[in-house]
Amino acid sequence: MRILVMIVSALFLGGPAAAIAQKPADACADGRAAMDAGETGSAAELLEECLGTSEQEPEDEVQTYAALGAAYLAEERYQDALSAYNMAFAIADTQHAAIASPILWRNRGIARAELGQLDAALADLQHAAAEMPDDVLTFLNMGFVYQRMDRHADAVVSYDAIVRLEPDWMGAWLNRSSALLDAGMTSAAVADARQAVELEPENGSSLNMLCWTLIQDGRADTALPLCEAAASIEPDTGAIIHSHATALEAVGRLDEALPLYQRAHQLDPEDPQITADFERTHHP
């Protein structure tokens, strides 16, 4: 997958915290308040204390673990988040407590995806999508998982849903363009990238996507000015500098491309395509 999927941030924080029942223990109430305020690090500590010091009814305990999972997720503590969500589901299963919101399925799917558990992540996200057919974050992460599984046609379908839900969001078109490109539907990918540029013509990511799709469509001459514009906006983004270098090489200006390939590799040495092009051009 050449272009990183754009992820909507902070949408997984709502829901579970607000559903925690008021408890006499200060840690429970304070943890809920911290989540509501977006102070997720403090919320995690308080909710841990809450679970360790208070007795709760099963459904309240499920919600407390769900809120703790959301706090961990926001802090990028994905293994801890998965453990908290698994505990919530275990309590619900063994104590016959209700899962109050499909957000729990979505969030556990996100944690599993971040940990590379793609099959399990997809199952959770599909469950969430069935119950929340208008939830952008569910379809966004489902598309991301499909791309990582090389199921490009399924990724396109997931991103189609986002385009229908949020047609004025540039990221909807960028993500579908990326999936279309992966699926070999280059002309359609170019069309989606153009739509993203129309929505945000001064955005480096949208300009870079159009640049890259045009290169893949054999139109490097048309792509080059867009690559240059993207690089002027985001001069420290490896993927954008790499696209600029690729366009220059494609139009026969390899001498100018060489230092850009090197610069892209310095900025993003973990990207396999950037590394491959750097090695190809500098260590033939």
Side-chain angles (χ1 to χ4, degrees):
M1 181 171 48
R2 175 61 177 82
I3 305 297
L4 291 179
V5 174
M6 297 181 62
I7 300 295
V8 179
S9 64
L11 291 184
F12 44 71
L13 300 183
I20 300 174
Q22 181 71 37
K23 290 291 172 185
D26 288 343
C28 299
D30 291 347
R32 184 184 69 251
M35 281 297 292
D36 289 341
E39 298 169 358
T40 53
S42 297
E45 294 179 3
L46 289 163
L47 292 167
E48 289 168 355
E49 181 182 347
C50 168
L51 287 163
T53 59
S54 66
E55 293 291 332
Q56 302 184 51
E57 293 297 321
E59 289 190 4
D60 292 336
E61 192 174 16
V62 166
Q63 294 300 334
T64 303
Y65 272 109
L68 180 60
Y72 286 145
L73 204 57
E75 292 293 304
E76 300 183 1
R77 295 171 58 179
Y78 300 118
Q79 186 59 61
D80 289 334
L82 179 56
S83 295
Y85 285 120
N86 282 342
M87 184 62 75
F89 280 99
I91 294 168
D93 184 51
T94 59
Q95 301 297 318
H96 305 291
I99 296 293
S101 171
I103 288 173
L104 273 70
W105 296 94
R106 182 194 70 192
N107 288 0
R108 189 173 70 170
I110 293 171
R112 283 173 159 171
E114 291 289 347
L115 294 168
Q117 300 175 14
L118 300 184
D119 289 331
L122 183 58
D124 277 353
L125 291 166
Q126 289 172 331
H127 185 109
E131 295 195 40
M132 298 189 297
D134 296 332
D135 187 66
V136 168
L137 191 56
T138 296
F139 286 103
L140 194 62
N141 280 277
M142 194 155 59
F144 185 46
V145 169
Y146 278 134
Q147 284 188 282
R148 291 174 66 186
M149 298 173 78
D150 293 329
R151 293 175 58 176
H152 306 306
D154 290 322
V156 171
V157 172
S158 292
Y159 296 137
D160 279 342
I162 302 173
V163 168
R164 290 194 299 272
L165 291 167
E166 295 288 344
D168 295 329
W169 178 46
M170 177 194 70
W173 299 93
L174 286 188
N175 284 305
R176 193 171 71 174
S177 178
S178 173
L180 287 165
L181 198 60
D182 288 341
M185 302 172 67
T186 308
S187 296
V190 170
D192 273 13
R194 287 193 190 282
Q195 182 63 37
V197 171
E198 287 183 16
L199 289 169
E200 294 196 28
E202 303 299 324
N203 185 286
S205 294
S206 64
L207 290 166
N208 181 60
M209 179 63 86
L210 183 53
C211 155
W212 184 254
T213 55
L214 286 167
I215 292 171
Q216 303 312 303
D217 201 38
R219 291 185 275 169
D221 285 331
T222 303
L224 183 56
L226 297 161
C227 300
E228 292 170 343
S232 70
I233 294 170
E234 295 190 34
D236 296 323
T237 300
I240 289 176
I241 301 305
H242 176 262
S243 296
H244 188 190
T246 304
L248 285 168
E249 182 181 8
V251 299
R253 293 161 61 179
L254 180 59
D255 288 347
E256 295 173 67
L258 289 175
L260 295 181
Y261 279 131
Q262 183 173 16
R263 171 68 174 155
H265 186 252
Q266 291 170 341
L267 290 168
D268 195 354
E270 302 301 319
D271 184 287
Q273 185 162 10
I274 290 174
T275 298
D277 281 339
F278 171 71
E279 294 292 339
R280 175 180 61 79
T281 55
H282 286 74
H283 304 97

